[in-house]
Amino acid sequence: MFKAFYPTYYYNNVYELDRAFWKENGIGAILFDIDNTLEPYATEIPSKKCEKLFEMLREEGVKFAIISNNHKERVEKFATPLGADYYFESLKPKTENIFAAIDKMGVSKDEVVLIGDQLFTDIWGGSRAGIRTIFVNKLSDDESFFIRLKRLIEIPFVKKIKKAGYGKL
């Protein structure tokens, strides 16, 4: 069971991943978490940096969607400027919206990776769906009490992941 909390890859942040990474690893589709993965929790709309990432993915033919546990208004406001399909109130680690996104993109599970900053929601959800995962460090300390509490429980796992180092684990 604990293996499900360990990602396939670990990187400092999503912006470290470049065109070569997607190609070398056969990634044709990405499922992104928003909060503290793409932008800090309090950021309502995508930054220019985030917009450039999605533009590059589009140029490379990499499909993408946003899978968030946040409410519709928050997710819609963030995803719409990026031209991204989005799934809100996903209740990750549940897999329903993960599978819905994969089906809608028309790709195989082997081509998909889920990127997130939380082990017990994003990484576990991707593992439960049978897809590769990328764990990234959170972008901000500005989080709800509940998220901070979950992060305390994640500490032993995160320590092992960070000790292993960046890249494929």
Side-chain angles (χ1 to χ4, degrees):
M1 176 178 152
F2 292 126
K3 187 175 182 179
F5 301 129
Y6 291 99
T8 312
Y9 310 92
Y10 165 57
Y11 286 90
N12 186 48
N13 65 65
V14 69
Y15 300 105
E16 289 182 347
L17 304 167
D18 59 12
R19 296 172 195 260
F21 177 84
W22 310 119
K23 287 183 179 183
E24 289 168 8
N25 292 287
I27 296 169
I30 306 165
L31 304 177
F32 290 98
D33 175 52
I34 297 175
D35 297 321
N36 268 332
T37 297
L38 286 170
E39 296 288 349
Y41 180 74
T43 305
E44 293 184 9
I45 60 172
S47 65
K48 294 292 181 197
K49 188 179 200 179
C50 186
E51 289 175 353
K52 285 182 182 182
L53 170 65
F54 279 74
E55 183 179 309
M56 181 270 297
L57 294 171
R58 198 173 278 109
E59 289 170 2
E60 291 297 318
V62 177
K63 298 177 180 184
F64 49 79
I66 291 178
I67 306 284
S68 177
N69 286 354
N70 216 319
H71 58 85
K72 181 180 180 181
E73 295 78 16
R74 186 322 187 230
V75 179
E76 183 176 57
K77 186 174 185 178
F78 191 90
T80 300
L82 297 171
D85 286 335
Y86 58 90
Y87 301 81
F88 57 92
E89 297 174 359
S90 295
L91 302 175
K92 292 174 289 184
K94 286 191 171 190
T95 58
E96 182 179 335
N97 283 343
I98 294 170
F99 288 132
I102 292 169
D103 287 346
K104 187 171 183 181
M105 290 187 285
V107 295
S108 74
K109 290 193 320 183
D110 294 340
E111 299 174 77
V112 181
V113 67
L114 188 148
I115 304 176
D117 66 302
Q118 292 187 55
L119 298 178
F120 295 160
T121 55
D122 306 314
I123 303 308
W124 191 14
S127 293
R128 291 184 71 223
I131 62 174
R132 291 178 285 176
T133 57
I134 300 174
F135 176 65
V136 294
N137 294 322
K138 65 181 178 173
L139 295 175
S140 169
D141 289 327
D142 182 21
E143 298 178 304
S144 71
F145 173 77
F146 180 68
I147 300 297
R148 288 193 309 267
L149 183 62
K150 281 197 304 183
R151 289 202 190 275
L152 289 174
I153 301 166
E154 291 180 347
I155 287 173
F157 299 98
V158 172
K159 283 183 178 180
K160 281 187 175 182
I161 292 166
K162 289 184 177 185
K163 185 176 181 182
Y166 294 121
K168 186 165 181 146
L169 302 179

